[in-house]
Amino acid sequence: FFFGICFVGFLYAIAITSGLKHGPPSVVTAFLYTVVIFTVILDWFVWREIPDWLTISGALLIVIGVILKFSLHKEERKE
């Protein structure tokens, strides 16, 4: 189990590095914060840990921030 977690973390690091190499950093770094959301979902499925209201509100803030980033800064993506 621990090996699987390490392997997924390794793949995540490679994906982020590759994304920063091939895409604009402003787009790639916006998705760095979504790892918190995926961690909460994985925590819910694996350990049946139900997220509390602070976790849900934090995840909503992340989603809103990413949506605002892409809707307000469309000209950055055209570079």
Side-chain angles (χ1 to χ4, degrees), residues 19-58:
L20 286 169
K21 182 179 178 182
H22 297 293
S26 61
V27 173
V28 177
T29 54
F31 284 103
L32 287 175
Y33 296 105
T34 60
V35 73
V36 175
I37 297 169
F38 293 117
T39 303
V40 170
I41 292 169
L42 184 64
D43 193 33
W44 186 25
F45 282 125
V46 174
W47 289 283
R48 304 289 184 223
E49 186 73 30
I50 299 172
D52 60 353
W53 68 274
L54 282 173
T55 305
I56 293 171
S57 61

Side-chain angles (χ1 to χ4, degrees), residues 45-75:
F45 282 125
V46 174
W47 289 283
R48 304 289 184 223
E49 186 73 30
I50 299 172
D52 60 353
W53 68 274
L54 282 173
T55 305
I56 293 171
S57 61
L60 285 174
L61 285 174
I62 292 170
V63 170
I64 290 169
V66 170
I67 290 171
L68 286 174
K69 160 69 175 124
F70 287 114
S71 64
L72 295 177
H73 300 286
K74 289 181 183 179
E75 61 275 356

